[in-house]
């Protein structure tokens, strides 16, 4: 739905599920009857403080699609090291198999670092362990502990990981976290994976690093502007694997069914004057 279409009903709405719209003070001033804002996993498009001031609950659906995203991350990593997309296209283009030039790789013995150790990051760690990878994790929550994972500071993770996967929310502290300085600290052949939010990575800096072999490659499911622009240089780079923001969709309609069942249960909680699950604010 386009933002301008919201004008026709927002004043009557009790619940808002915002997709690709900004829930800011301007919108909230028109939403006279709004009681609840339910987002997907991310909530960077919602002014939570403004909602709290107007006694509007805000919740997200973090964790609902954690396994799907984690599996997508591992699929991207495997696809990158095994050259799946390159070899697939070569076969379909009927190229001479004996003349193909590529380098393969194994996950065994490699170090993967997850920035964020919540539902997705911890699941990635479990899957990576099955491939006998060493796992490093960084999280701003210093109370998180794990027997199987080495919790480290961000700088240590960036410098030592062969694969870095981003599993954090987008906010002002994480916007452009992955910039020129960050990329310069990574191993020369390291792989960056982002299935979280595009603006966490400074796209221009990443493209420059990929073109100049500052890092080995990248696997990206999210972008600064979505859909990814047709003329984006990312589409032309051989050391990049791209998917169109589909990491959280394991079984098509099945995922939507689980997601919206969660939404319905939260809406029913609001009707009963109960605290919604995964609430991001507190209403008096």
């Amino acid at each position: 739905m386009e933002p301008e279409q919201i004008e026709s009903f927002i004043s009557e709405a009790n619940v808002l599920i915002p997709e690709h719209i900004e829930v800011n003070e301007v919108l909230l001033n028109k939403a006279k009857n709004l009681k609840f804002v339910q987002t997907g996993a991310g909530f960077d498009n919602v002014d939570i403080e403004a909602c709290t001031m107007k006694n509007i609950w805000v919740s997200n659906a973090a964790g609902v699609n954690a396994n799907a995203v984690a599996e997508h991350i591992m699929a991207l990593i495997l696809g990158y090291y095994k050259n799946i997309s390159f070899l697939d296209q070569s076969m379909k283009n009927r190229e001479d198999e004996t003349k193909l030039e590529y380098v393969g790789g194994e996950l065994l013995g490699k170090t993967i670092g997850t920035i964020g150790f919540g539902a997705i990051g911890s699941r990635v760690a479990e899957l990576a362990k099955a491939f006998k990878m060493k796992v490093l994790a960084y999280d701003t929550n210093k109370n998180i502990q794990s027997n199987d994972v080495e919790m480290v500071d961000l700088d240590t993770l960036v410098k030592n990981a062969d694969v870095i996967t981003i599993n954090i929310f987008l906010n002002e502290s994480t916007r452009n976290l992955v910039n020129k300085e960050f990329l310069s600290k990574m191993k020369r052949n390291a792989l960056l994976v982002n299935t979280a939010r595009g603006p966490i990575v400074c796209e221009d800096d990443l493209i420059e690093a990929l073109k100049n072999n500052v890092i080995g490659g990248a696997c990206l499911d999210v972008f600064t502007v979505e859909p990814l622009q047709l003329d984006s240089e990312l589409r032309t780079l051989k050391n990049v694997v791209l998917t169109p923001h589909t990491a959280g969709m394991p079984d098509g309609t099945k995922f939507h069914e689980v997601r919206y069942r969660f939404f319905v249960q939260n809406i029913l909680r609001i009707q009963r004057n109960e605290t919604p699950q995964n609430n991001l604010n507190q209403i008096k």
Side-chain angles (χ1 to χ4, degrees), residues 19-162:
E19 295 285 349
H20 309 298
I21 63 167
E22 293 293 323
V23 181
N24 50 30
E25 198 160 359
V26 174
L27 180 68
L28 293 173
N29 285 337
K30 300 173 183 177
K32 303 298 183 182
N33 295 304
L34 195 62
K35 297 180 179 179
F36 181 44
V37 176
Q38 172 70 71
T39 75
F43 50 90
D44 47 283
N45 59 327
V46 179
D47 187 334
I48 297 176
E49 185 176 350
C51 288
T52 304
M53 292 293 291
K54 294 180 179 294
N55 289 316
I56 299 170
W57 284 105
V58 182
S59 288
N60 74 342
V64 172
N65 64 340
N67 183 70
V69 176
E71 287 188 4
H72 195 92
I73 289 169
M74 296 308 298
L76 287 172
I77 296 169
L78 283 166
Y80 173 83
Y81 281 112
K82 299 303 180 182
N83 297 285
I84 299 300
S85 58
F86 168 73
L87 295 174
D88 174 63
Q89 285 303 308
S90 298
M91 295 289 286
K92 289 175 179 175
N93 292 336
R94 298 177 174 84
E95 297 178 27
D96 186 343
E97 298 173 30
T98 65
K99 295 181 180 180
L100 296 179
E101 294 185 6
Y102 60 94
V103 177
E106 293 184 332
L107 302 191
L108 175 67
K110 285 185 170 58
T111 298
I112 185 171
T114 172
I115 300 178
F117 200 64
I120 296 172
S122 58
R123 182 58 179 147
V124 167
E126 291 176 355
L127 296 175
K129 282 287 185 179
F131 289 92
K132 298 190 184 302
M133 300 181 77
K134 178 181 179 181
V135 183
L136 304 178
Y138 164 77
D139 199 285
T140 54
N141 182 357
K142 304 305 179 185
N143 293 322
I144 294 178
Q145 295 182 350
S146 173
N147 294 328
D148 297 326
V149 173
E150 184 179 351
M151 303 300 297
V152 296
D153 59 71
L154 183 59
D155 204 49
T156 298
L157 184 149
V158 173
K159 291 179 178 178
N160 291 280
D162 299 299

Side-chain angles (χ1 to χ4, degrees), residues 178-181 183 201-210:
V178 179
N179 54 19
K180 187 174 183 178
E181 180 183 1
L183 293 161
V201 176
C202 179
E203 221 159 81
D204 289 340
D205 288 354
L206 175 60
I207 290 171
E208 197 65 26
L210 290 166

